[in-house]
Amino acid sequence: MSGEEVAVAVAQPEAAPIIGEPMDINSALPLVVRKSQAHGGLARGLHEAAKAIEKHTAHLCVLADDCDQPDYVKLVKALCADHNVKVLRAPSSKTLGEWAGLCKIDSEGKARKVVGCSCVVVKDYGEQHEAVEVVQQHKD
């Protein structure tokens, strides 16, 4: 070879934060929801979410920004306010559904057949990690 070094760009996955950089809420929230789903501590949908909030087992509630039912949003926010549960927002219901595991994963690791989900409640964080601390300290 001629001794020249060629830099090759390696694509980083969007959901995985770069090691050494501080984690922000946009990268921590999907991680928290996925870890909670893996440990069985996730309530998906209005019925499950309302039950979890009423039983005082909810730690965090995530609402989709594109939810077009004002009564739905009003009910969830009121329940969370009554029971001191933090409410965070997700960009879309499809994104939230993907985070919550409401999809099929193909052989390439891409999400297919994603089902939208407007509300998710975290009942159990699973294991304690940096993303949980970032979400807990996040101010609305």
Side-chain angles (χ1 to χ4, degrees):
M1 300 287 205
S2 63
E4 294 178 7
E5 292 183 17
V6 178
V8 177
V10 177
Q12 293 286 336
E14 203 171 299
I18 299 172
I19 296 174
E21 285 189 19
M23 190 175 284
D24 65 340
I25 191 66
N26 295 329
S27 59
L29 188 57
L31 190 60
V32 167
V33 173
R34 286 184 177 128
K35 289 266 188 186
S36 176
Q37 191 266 336
H39 289 277
L42 202 64
R44 300 173 289 220
L46 181 62
H47 186 71
E48 287 183 30
K51 286 195 310 187
I53 294 169
E54 287 289 327
K55 288 181 179 178
H56 298 283
T57 58
H59 297 291
L60 171 72
C61 180
V62 185
L63 271 173
D65 277 337
D66 64 352
C67 181
D68 57 354
Q69 299 288 330
D71 292 339
Y72 187 103
V73 176
K74 189 175 175 182
L75 173 66
V76 172
K77 284 186 175 181
L79 280 171
C80 290
D82 286 347
H83 297 283
N84 297 323
V85 177
K86 187 180 216 171
V87 179
L88 295 178
R89 304 294 289 206
S92 72
S93 62
K94 293 287 187 183
T95 305
L96 187 56
E98 183 180 339
W99 294 349
L102 297 173
C103 61
K104 297 285 185 186
I105 306 297
D106 66 3
S107 60
E108 298 171 359
K110 303 284 183 187
R112 302 281 183 227
K113 297 184 180 181
V114 180
V115 176
C117 184
S118 293
C119 181
V120 163
V121 169
V122 176
K123 298 184 291 186
D124 178 21
Y125 288 117
E127 56 199 36
Q128 197 67 20
H129 48 84
E130 182 186 358
V132 172
E133 294 170 15
V134 170
V135 168
Q136 288 175 340
Q137 294 173 358
H138 179 70
K139 304 267 190 272
D140 290 331

